[in-house]
Amino acid sequence: QKTDRHRTRDNADAAFEEALPRFSQLGSLSIQPPSEKNPPPESADMRSKVLSLELVLSILETSGPALRGMPRFVAEGLREHLGRLMIVNGTAPNPLPRVYKLTLSIFLHVMSYFRDHMKDHIELVFTRVMMKALDSPASSTMQQRWMVLQVMQQICKNPQTLVEIFINYDCEVNSRDVFERVVHSLAKGAQGTGVD
């Protein structure tokens, strides 16, 4: 006869089995290309994209330690869908400000709770999204650069995160020098000069 603990675990496993495909569908919806070029914000495509990003962010924000530590959620939910979600929406040409902001908010949450599991994805977001916005003013709007700076400010509030960025990337032979690039970009921006 099953104990209450076993029943609770079985219920949690069943809920997870039901929730994982929904999370995957949200990830797919968020990167689906629009049916027309430069669709207006009120179009069905853009509303679907924004809603799916909002729901993904809500799932991440409300996930507890049990879900965050679940290997299948990390492997099949986060690694498989979140990395692509952040890159596709963060590098899209002329993204809606709401889409860009939600993408950065998801990245900030990944940095806070899942950075041990998504090292490669984090490096890509730093180099292809964050640094691109700061280093290439011609390819990003002032609003995008401001949003990136706000995210950087949140990241820099945690000294442990900064140490981990340096150790995980700058001290790794096969990784890009993320910490160095961040410091260089922020210093150039503070001086009001372009990045070489």
Side-chain angles (χ1 to χ4, degrees):
Q1 187 175 2
K2 288 188 174 182
T3 64
D4 289 341
R5 178 182 291 180
H6 286 114
R7 286 195 202 94
T8 301
R9 184 180 301 156
D10 288 347
N11 290 339
D13 289 343
F16 176 76
E17 292 295 335
E18 187 176 330
L20 186 59
R22 307 293 179 264
F23 187 83
S24 302
Q25 288 169 349
L26 291 173
S28 298
L29 274 174
S30 73
I31 62 172
Q32 189 169 343
S35 56
E36 58 179 301
K37 189 176 181 180
N38 298 322
E42 64 275 6
S43 68
D45 287 339
M46 289 298 99
R47 285 188 316 216
S48 173
K49 182 182 287 286
V50 168
L51 179 60
S52 61
L53 288 169
E54 288 175 339
L55 290 172
V56 167
L57 180 59
S58 177
I59 290 169
L60 295 178
E61 288 176 339
T62 57
S63 64
L67 184 60
R68 292 175 193 155
M70 190 175 287
R72 282 195 60 201
F73 176 66
V74 171
E76 298 177 35
L78 300 183
R79 289 198 190 122
E80 190 171 332
H81 297 286
L82 274 194
R84 191 167 37 151
L85 176 158
M86 292 184 293
I87 294 296
V88 169
N89 288 304
T91 59
N94 305 315
L96 289 178
R98 180 69 178 148
V99 169
Y100 198 76
K101 184 174 183 179
L102 284 166
T103 302
L104 291 178
S105 297
I106 289 170
F107 173 68
L108 186 59
H109 206 80
V110 167
M111 283 295 298
S112 298
Y113 295 104
F114 302 104
R115 60 181 179 267
D116 291 342
H117 306 293
M118 300 191 67
K119 180 182 172 185
D120 293 340
H121 300 91
I122 288 171
E123 179 180 0
L124 289 175
V125 174
F126 263 118
T127 55
R128 294 190 187 177
V129 180
M130 311 274 283
M131 296 301 96
K132 182 183 176 186
L134 295 178
D135 295 351
S136 307
S139 64
S140 61
T141 66
M142 179 64 74
Q143 187 177 22
Q144 287 173 336
R145 292 193 294 278
W146 177 248
M147 284 189 266
V148 167
L149 287 173
Q150 288 178 312
V151 170
M152 288 305 309
Q153 181 184 37
Q154 292 300 313
I155 292 172
C156 290
K157 284 181 178 178
N158 186 343
Q160 181 62 33
T161 301
L162 297 178
V163 170
E164 288 181 21
I165 290 172
F166 180 74
I167 292 173
N168 288 332
Y169 303 106
D170 296 56
C171 294
E172 286 282 336
V173 175
N174 297 321
S175 295
R176 295 177 178 91
D177 293 335
V178 172
F179 185 83
E180 181 183 348
R181 285 194 63 186
V182 167
V183 172
H184 183 68
S185 297
L186 293 178
K188 288 286 188 179
Q191 294 168 9
T193 57
V195 177
D196 298 329

